[in-house]
Amino acid sequence: MYKTISAKVEHGIDALVRVTNTLRRKEFKIKGLVMTEVEIDGYSDLRITIEEYSNLGIEQAMMQLRKIINVYEIEEVKCELAAPKVKIGRASCRER
């Protein structure tokens, strides 16, 4: 099962590297990462999707992230709206 964590981090590659290295070192399998800039200067929203195992739960991942100095707010994303997938076939491409 995949779970998603949302964290407010300092904007920049340093925070991203610290988060991913921490989770990889603790043997979490990262499925996806999305980092977006927020309205507050200097901060970004980082969404991490991990594969949850019985011995490595989402709570354990969140505890590890709380130890990192560049991470400020951490929460589990309970319900996420999926982006609609659009499939464009050859016929529709030719019509444009």
Side-chain angles (χ1 to χ4, degrees):
M1 180 188 323
Y2 295 106
K3 298 280 185 152
T4 303
I5 299 171
S6 176
K8 187 171 91 172
V9 298
E10 286 183 10
H11 185 69
I13 194 74
D14 295 339
L16 181 64
V17 169
R18 284 186 180 152
V19 167
T20 56
N21 283 343
T22 299
L23 292 176
R24 288 188 63 229
R25 194 170 40 248
K26 298 297 179 178
E27 298 181 357
F28 286 96
K29 294 200 179 216
I30 299 172
K31 176 68 175 167
L33 285 169
V34 177
M35 187 176 211
T36 56
E37 194 171 357
V38 294
E39 293 101 23
I40 304 170
D41 290 336
Y43 296 102
S44 295
D45 181 41
L46 180 62
R47 290 195 176 231
I48 310 153
T49 304
I50 61 170
E51 190 171 344
E52 187 178 41
Y53 294 106
S54 59
N55 60 345
L56 294 174
I58 192 83
E59 292 84 16
Q60 180 67 28
M62 292 170 64
M63 285 185 359
Q64 295 299 323
L65 293 180
R66 284 189 183 96
K67 296 177 184 179
I68 302 173
I69 59 171
N70 297 50
V71 179
Y72 298 104
E73 295 175 10
I74 303 167
E75 63 185 6
E76 180 182 355
V77 177
K78 297 287 183 182
C79 180
E80 187 173 331
L81 296 175
K85 294 183 179 179
V86 179
K87 185 175 182 180
I88 300 175
R90 290 185 180 190
S92 62
C93 289
R94 289 182 194 157
E95 293 173 358
R96 292 183 181 195

